[in-house]
Amino acid sequence: MPSRRIDQPPSLLLIEAVPGRLAPLAEACPQNRFLRLSLSQAEAAPDLISREAVELVVCASANEVHAGKTLLQQIRHVHPHLPILMVIPNQDFKLALELFRSGADDLLVEPLATAETVGAVARALRQGAERAALNSAQQHVKRSLDELVLLRSVGETASRVENLQRLLERIVISIQAALEVEIVSIMLADANGHLRIHAACGLPDEVRGVKIPIGEGIAGHVYRQGEAVLINDLATDGRFARQSGDRYRSGSLLSVPIRYLDRVLGVLNVNNKGNGQGFSGDDQDLLTSIAHQAALAIENLTLISRLQNKT
Protein backbone atom coordinates (compact mmCIF):
# COMPACT_ATOMS: atom_id res chain seq x y z
CA MET A 1 0.00 0.00 0.00
CA PRO A 2 1.42 3.44 -0.93
CA SER A 3 2.36 5.57 2.04
CA ARG A 4 0.76 8.91 2.88
CA ARG A 5 2.79 12.10 2.65
CA ILE A 6 3.36 13.83 5.99
CA ASP A 7 1.40 16.91 4.88
CA GLN A 8 -1.67 14.86 3.88
CA PRO A 9 -4.55 14.13 6.29
CA PRO A 10 -5.36 10.47 6.99
CA SER A 11 -7.66 8.91 4.38
CA LEU A 12 -10.76 7.06 5.60
CA LEU A 13 -12.85 4.78 3.41
CA LEU A 14 -16.56 4.93 4.29
CA ILE A 15 -18.70 2.00 3.11
CA GLU A 16 -22.44 2.43 3.54
CA ALA A 17 -25.40 0.16 2.97
CA VAL A 18 -27.60 3.28 2.97
CA PRO A 19 -26.25 6.51 1.37
CA GLY A 20 -25.51 9.21 3.94
CA ARG A 21 -25.49 6.77 6.86
CA LEU A 22 -21.98 7.85 7.84
CA ALA A 23 -22.46 11.58 7.25
CA PRO A 24 -22.28 12.25 11.04
CA LEU A 25 -18.84 10.66 11.13
CA ALA A 26 -17.56 12.89 8.32
CA GLU A 27 -18.99 15.91 10.13
CA ALA A 28 -17.33 14.88 13.40
CA CYS A 29 -13.90 14.44 11.76
CA PRO A 30 -13.57 17.28 9.20
CA GLN A 31 -9.76 17.10 9.32
CA ASN A 32 -9.75 13.71 7.56
CA ARG A 33 -10.00 12.89 3.86
CA PHE A 34 -12.98 10.68 3.00
CA LEU A 35 -13.53 8.19 0.20
CA ARG A 36 -16.92 6.53 -0.20
CA LEU A 37 -18.30 3.29 -1.57
CA SER A 38 -21.74 1.77 -1.35
CA LEU A 39 -21.97 -1.70 0.17
CA SER A 40 -22.90 -3.03 -3.29
CA GLN A 41 -19.52 -1.74 -4.57
CA ALA A 42 -17.56 -3.24 -1.68
CA GLU A 43 -15.69 -5.72 -3.89
CA ALA A 44 -13.65 -2.73 -5.15
CA ALA A 45 -12.53 -1.84 -1.62
CA PRO A 46 -9.23 -3.82 -1.44
CA ASP A 47 -7.90 -2.23 -4.63
CA LEU A 48 -9.11 1.26 -3.67
CA ILE A 49 -7.33 0.89 -0.31
CA SER A 50 -4.09 0.02 -2.13
CA ARG A 51 -4.33 2.97 -4.54
CA GLU A 52 -5.35 5.68 -2.09
CA ALA A 53 -3.28 4.80 1.00
CA VAL A 54 -6.41 4.37 3.11
CA GLU A 55 -5.58 4.19 6.83
CA LEU A 56 -8.99 3.27 8.25
CA VAL A 57 -12.14 1.60 6.91
CA VAL A 58 -15.50 2.44 8.47
CA CYS A 59 -18.42 0.28 7.39
CA ALA A 60 -22.11 0.72 8.16
CA SER A 61 -23.64 -2.47 6.80
CA ALA A 62 -26.93 -1.91 8.68
CA ASN A 63 -28.87 -5.19 8.67
CA GLU A 64 -26.75 -6.66 5.86
CA VAL A 65 -24.81 -8.80 8.34
CA HIS A 66 -23.56 -11.35 5.82
CA ALA A 67 -22.35 -8.64 3.43
CA GLY A 68 -20.55 -6.87 6.28
CA LYS A 69 -18.79 -10.06 7.40
CA THR A 70 -17.80 -10.91 3.82
CA LEU A 71 -16.36 -7.43 3.35
CA LEU A 72 -14.31 -7.75 6.54
CA GLN A 73 -12.83 -11.02 5.36
CA GLN A 74 -12.03 -9.66 1.88
CA ILE A 75 -10.21 -6.62 3.26
CA ARG A 76 -8.37 -8.67 5.91
CA HIS A 77 -7.15 -11.08 3.22
CA VAL A 78 -5.37 -8.34 1.25
CA HIS A 79 -4.69 -5.81 4.04
CA PRO A 80 -4.24 -7.82 7.25
CA HIS A 81 -2.97 -4.85 9.32
CA LEU A 82 -5.54 -2.22 8.32
CA PRO A 83 -7.89 -1.12 11.16
CA ILE A 84 -11.60 -1.62 10.44
CA LEU A 85 -14.41 0.10 12.36
CA MET A 86 -17.95 -1.26 12.05
CA VAL A 87 -21.10 0.75 12.74
CA ILE A 88 -24.14 -1.23 13.90
CA PRO A 89 -27.75 0.00 14.17
CA ASN A 90 -28.35 -1.12 17.76
CA GLN A 91 -26.66 -2.69 20.76
CA ASP A 92 -26.87 -6.25 19.50
CA PHE A 93 -24.35 -8.35 21.43
CA LYS A 94 -24.61 -11.33 19.09
CA LEU A 95 -24.01 -9.16 16.00
CA ALA A 96 -21.09 -7.40 17.69
CA LEU A 97 -19.51 -10.75 18.56
CA GLU A 98 -19.89 -11.99 14.96
CA LEU A 99 -18.24 -8.86 13.59
CA PHE A 100 -15.34 -9.04 16.05
CA ARG A 101 -14.80 -12.68 15.09
CA SER A 102 -14.78 -11.67 11.42
CA GLY A 103 -11.99 -9.15 11.97
CA ALA A 104 -13.50 -5.85 13.16
CA ASP A 105 -11.24 -3.79 15.44
CA ASP A 106 -13.94 -1.70 17.08
CA LEU A 107 -17.67 -0.94 16.93
CA LEU A 108 -19.81 2.18 17.01
CA VAL A 109 -23.52 2.09 17.75
CA GLU A 110 -25.99 4.41 16.03
CA PRO A 111 -26.91 7.17 16.49
CA LEU A 112 -23.31 8.34 16.31
CA ALA A 113 -22.28 10.69 19.13
CA THR A 114 -19.58 13.19 18.18
CA ALA A 115 -17.23 12.62 21.14
CA GLU A 116 -17.48 8.84 20.93
CA THR A 117 -16.99 8.86 17.14
CA VAL A 118 -13.92 11.12 17.28
CA GLY A 119 -12.42 8.95 20.02
CA ALA A 120 -13.03 5.70 18.12
CA VAL A 121 -11.50 7.08 14.91
CA ALA A 122 -8.44 8.38 16.78
CA ARG A 123 -7.94 5.03 18.55
CA ALA A 124 -8.28 3.10 15.30
CA LEU A 125 -5.82 5.34 13.45
CA ARG A 126 -3.35 5.06 16.32
CA GLN A 127 -3.76 1.29 16.37
CA GLY A 128 -3.19 1.13 12.61
CA ALA A 129 -0.02 3.22 12.88
CA GLU A 130 1.30 0.99 15.67
CA ARG A 131 0.59 -2.14 13.62
CA ALA A 132 2.30 -0.65 10.58
CA ALA A 133 5.37 0.29 12.63
CA LEU A 134 5.56 -3.17 14.19
CA ASN A 135 5.14 -4.88 10.83
CA SER A 136 7.81 -2.63 9.30
CA ALA A 137 10.24 -3.50 12.11
CA GLN A 138 9.53 -7.20 11.70
CA GLN A 139 10.01 -7.01 7.94
CA HIS A 140 13.27 -5.11 8.40
CA VAL A 141 14.63 -7.79 10.72
CA LYS A 142 13.43 -10.53 8.37
CA ARG A 143 15.01 -8.87 5.35
CA SER A 144 18.30 -8.44 7.20
CA LEU A 145 18.37 -12.13 8.12
CA ASP A 146 17.28 -13.15 4.63
CA GLU A 147 20.04 -11.15 3.02
CA LEU A 148 22.70 -12.89 5.10
CA VAL A 149 21.38 -16.27 4.02
CA LEU A 150 20.74 -15.21 0.43
CA LEU A 151 24.23 -13.85 -0.15
CA ARG A 152 25.60 -17.34 0.35
CA SER A 153 22.72 -18.94 -1.56
CA VAL A 154 23.10 -16.61 -4.52
CA GLY A 155 26.83 -17.25 -4.66
CA GLU A 156 26.26 -21.01 -4.70
CA THR A 157 23.52 -20.69 -7.33
CA ALA A 158 25.66 -18.54 -9.60
CA SER A 159 28.52 -21.02 -9.37
CA ARG A 160 26.22 -23.89 -10.36
CA VAL A 161 24.24 -22.20 -13.14
CA GLU A 162 26.07 -21.71 -16.43
CA ASN A 163 24.20 -18.64 -17.67
CA LEU A 164 21.55 -16.07 -16.80
CA GLN A 165 18.84 -17.66 -18.94
CA ARG A 166 19.01 -20.98 -17.12
CA LEU A 167 18.98 -19.18 -13.77
CA LEU A 168 15.83 -17.20 -14.63
CA GLU A 169 14.09 -20.33 -15.89
CA ARG A 170 14.82 -22.08 -12.59
CA ILE A 171 13.48 -19.09 -10.66
CA VAL A 172 10.10 -19.03 -12.46
CA ILE A 173 9.67 -22.78 -11.98
CA SER A 174 10.35 -22.37 -8.25
CA ILE A 175 7.87 -19.49 -7.98
CA GLN A 176 5.17 -21.41 -9.81
CA ALA A 177 5.50 -24.25 -7.31
CA ALA A 178 5.86 -22.05 -4.21
CA LEU A 179 2.86 -19.78 -4.89
CA GLU A 180 0.82 -22.45 -6.70
CA VAL A 181 0.07 -20.16 -9.64
CA GLU A 182 -0.56 -20.91 -13.29
CA ILE A 183 1.51 -18.13 -14.86
CA VAL A 184 4.87 -16.62 -13.87
CA SER A 185 7.05 -14.32 -15.93
CA ILE A 186 10.27 -12.39 -15.45
CA MET A 187 10.70 -9.30 -17.63
CA LEU A 188 13.98 -7.42 -17.87
CA ALA A 189 14.60 -3.99 -19.36
CA ASP A 190 16.68 -3.62 -22.50
CA ALA A 191 18.77 -0.70 -23.71
CA ASN A 192 15.96 0.50 -26.00
CA GLY A 193 13.48 1.27 -23.23
CA HIS A 194 11.43 -1.92 -23.46
CA LEU A 195 10.58 -4.77 -21.11
CA ARG A 196 11.00 -8.23 -22.59
CA ILE A 197 10.04 -11.60 -21.15
CA HIS A 198 13.23 -13.56 -20.42
CA ALA A 199 11.66 -16.54 -18.64
CA ALA A 200 8.10 -17.70 -18.08
CA CYS A 201 5.85 -20.57 -17.09
CA GLY A 202 2.32 -21.00 -18.39
CA LEU A 203 2.49 -18.43 -21.21
CA PRO A 204 1.87 -19.30 -24.88
CA ASP A 205 4.85 -19.01 -27.21
CA GLU A 206 3.40 -16.04 -29.13
CA VAL A 207 3.28 -13.96 -25.96
CA ARG A 208 6.85 -14.65 -24.88
CA GLY A 209 8.34 -12.47 -27.61
CA VAL A 210 6.24 -9.40 -26.81
CA LYS A 211 8.06 -6.20 -25.87
CA ILE A 212 6.36 -3.61 -23.65
CA PRO A 213 7.47 0.04 -23.61
CA ILE A 214 8.50 1.14 -20.13
CA GLY A 215 5.58 2.93 -18.52
CA GLU A 216 2.87 1.11 -20.47
CA GLY A 217 0.61 -1.58 -19.08
CA ILE A 218 0.88 -3.08 -15.62
CA ALA A 219 4.48 -4.30 -15.92
CA GLY A 220 5.62 -1.01 -17.47
CA HIS A 221 3.95 0.89 -14.62
CA VAL A 222 5.59 -1.28 -11.95
CA TYR A 223 9.01 -0.83 -13.57
CA ARG A 224 8.71 2.96 -13.88
CA GLN A 225 7.25 3.53 -10.40
CA GLY A 226 9.41 0.91 -8.68
CA GLU A 227 6.42 -0.20 -6.59
CA ALA A 228 4.45 -3.45 -6.48
CA VAL A 229 0.91 -3.65 -7.84
CA LEU A 230 -1.57 -6.10 -6.30
CA ILE A 231 -4.90 -6.20 -8.10
CA ASN A 232 -7.71 -8.18 -6.55
CA ASP A 233 -10.05 -7.79 -9.53
CA LEU A 234 -9.05 -6.28 -12.87
CA ALA A 235 -12.71 -5.60 -13.67
CA THR A 236 -13.08 -3.12 -10.80
CA ASP A 237 -9.54 -1.75 -10.41
CA GLY A 238 -9.85 0.95 -13.06
CA ARG A 239 -6.14 1.86 -13.33
CA PHE A 240 -5.35 -0.35 -16.30
CA ALA A 241 -7.14 -1.42 -19.46
CA ARG A 242 -9.18 -4.56 -18.98
CA GLN A 243 -7.33 -7.68 -20.05
CA SER A 244 -9.00 -10.60 -21.75
CA GLY A 245 -8.19 -14.25 -22.28
CA ASP A 246 -7.05 -17.11 -20.10
CA ARG A 247 -3.98 -15.22 -18.87
CA TYR A 248 -6.21 -13.21 -16.51
CA ARG A 249 -8.85 -15.83 -15.83
CA SER A 250 -9.11 -15.09 -12.11
CA GLY A 251 -8.86 -11.28 -12.48
CA SER A 252 -6.23 -11.19 -9.72
CA LEU A 253 -2.57 -10.51 -10.37
CA LEU A 254 0.57 -9.45 -8.58
CA SER A 255 3.60 -7.67 -10.05
CA VAL A 256 6.70 -6.58 -8.14
CA PRO A 257 9.85 -4.76 -9.26
CA ILE A 258 13.13 -6.65 -9.44
CA ARG A 259 15.29 -4.11 -7.68
CA TYR A 260 19.03 -4.05 -6.97
CA LEU A 261 19.94 -1.19 -4.60
CA ASP A 262 18.43 1.92 -6.24
CA ARG A 263 18.06 0.37 -9.71
CA VAL A 264 15.04 -1.50 -11.07
CA LEU A 265 16.23 -4.32 -13.34
CA GLY A 266 12.86 -5.72 -14.35
CA VAL A 267 9.48 -6.97 -13.18
CA LEU A 268 8.28 -10.26 -11.72
CA ASN A 269 4.64 -11.11 -12.54
CA VAL A 270 2.28 -13.83 -11.29
CA ASN A 271 -1.41 -14.41 -11.93
CA ASN A 272 -4.12 -17.06 -11.67
CA LYS A 273 -3.78 -18.87 -8.37
CA GLY A 274 -4.54 -22.54 -8.65
CA ASN A 275 -7.29 -22.33 -6.02
CA GLY A 276 -9.01 -19.43 -7.82
CA GLN A 277 -8.53 -16.99 -4.93
CA GLY A 278 -6.95 -13.56 -5.11
CA PHE A 279 -3.43 -12.74 -3.98
CA SER A 280 -2.83 -11.56 -0.42
CA GLY A 281 -0.45 -9.22 1.35
CA ASP A 282 1.56 -12.27 2.44
CA ASP A 283 1.91 -13.30 -1.22
CA GLN A 284 3.26 -9.84 -2.02
CA ASP A 285 5.82 -10.06 0.80
CA LEU A 286 6.96 -13.48 -0.42
CA LEU A 287 7.21 -12.42 -4.08
CA THR A 288 9.10 -9.26 -3.10
CA SER A 289 11.60 -11.42 -1.23
CA ILE A 290 11.96 -13.72 -4.24
CA ALA A 291 12.43 -10.70 -6.54
CA HIS A 292 15.20 -9.53 -4.23
CA GLN A 293 16.88 -12.94 -4.56
CA ALA A 294 16.53 -12.75 -8.34
CA ALA A 295 18.11 -9.28 -8.43
CA LEU A 296 21.07 -10.46 -6.36
CA ALA A 297 21.52 -13.49 -8.61
CA ILE A 298 21.29 -11.43 -11.81
CA GLU A 299 23.87 -8.93 -10.55
CA ASN A 300 26.11 -11.74 -9.33
CA LEU A 301 26.06 -13.53 -12.69
CA THR A 302 26.58 -10.27 -14.56
CA LEU A 303 29.61 -9.46 -12.41
CA ILE A 304 31.07 -12.94 -12.89
CA SER A 305 30.55 -12.66 -16.67
CA ARG A 306 32.36 -9.30 -16.75
CA LEU A 307 35.26 -10.63 -14.72
CA GLN A 308 35.58 -13.67 -16.98
CA ASN A 309 35.54 -11.46 -20.07
CA LYS A 310 38.28 -9.25 -18.60
CA THR A 311 40.34 -12.28 -17.64
Side-chain angles (χ1 to χ4, degrees), residues 70-261:
T70 300
L71 173 63
L72 278 168
Q73 294 165 355
Q74 290 173 341
I75 294 175
R76 278 279 171 261
H77 179 69
V78 182
H79 304 283
H81 308 295
L82 184 71
I84 303 174
L85 184 62
M86 300 296 292
V87 179
I88 58 177
N90 51 61
Q91 294 183 355
D92 186 332
F93 176 78
K94 183 178 179 181
L95 172 59
L97 186 59
E98 288 183 17
L99 293 174
F100 276 125
R101 286 174 173 171
S102 298
D105 291 287
D106 201 355
L107 297 178
L108 282 172
V109 180
E110 295 178 309
L112 299 178
T114 300
E116 183 181 354
T117 300
V118 171
V121 169
R123 285 194 304 272
L125 288 171
R126 186 168 59 250
Q127 185 179 39
E130 291 171 352
R131 283 182 186 169
L134 177 60
N135 183 61
S136 177
Q138 291 174 337
Q139 291 300 318
H140 178 73
V141 171
K142 182 179 180 299
R143 282 196 300 269
S144 297
L145 292 174
D146 286 345
E147 288 178 4
L148 291 174
V149 175
L150 291 176
L151 285 174
R152 178 179 177 182
S153 175
V154 168
E156 293 175 348
T157 301
S159 65
R160 290 196 305 267
V161 178
E162 295 177 0
N163 57 52
L164 179 61
Q165 184 60 39
R166 287 187 59 194
L167 173 65
L168 297 180
E169 289 172 355
R170 290 188 182 185
I171 289 174
V172 295
I173 291 172
S174 298
I175 294 172
Q176 188 179 45
L179 291 184
E180 298 181 349
V181 294
E182 295 177 3
I183 299 175
V184 185
S185 65
I186 291 179
M187 309 181 77
L188 300 181
D190 62 23
N192 298 318
H194 290 81
L195 288 170
R196 184 170 65 84
I197 296 175
H198 279 249
C201 288
L203 283 178
D205 292 338
E206 61 269 20
V207 177
R208 291 172 179 256
V210 172
K211 293 183 178 180
I212 298 176
I214 290 173
E216 293 188 11
I218 298 171
H221 172 85
V222 171
Y223 181 89
R224 171 165 287 177
Q225 299 299 321
E227 295 182 351
V229 166
L230 190 161
I231 295 178
N232 200 49
D233 187 354
L234 271 169
T236 61
D237 181 82
R239 284 176 292 175
F240 306 98
R242 294 191 180 187
Q243 309 290 330
S244 60
D246 294 338
R247 283 193 293 151
Y248 300 97
R249 176 181 52 77
S250 70
S252 179
L253 61 89
L254 176 57
S255 296
V256 301
I258 300 174
R259 182 193 300 277
Y260 180 77
L261 300 179

Side-chain angles (χ1 to χ4, degrees), residues 27-44:
E27 294 171 1
C29 305
Q31 72 279 8
N32 297 117
R33 173 174 174 257
F34 294 97
L35 306 168
R36 289 177 170 82
L37 288 176
S38 67
L39 191 59
S40 62
Q41 301 170 317
E43 71 276 0

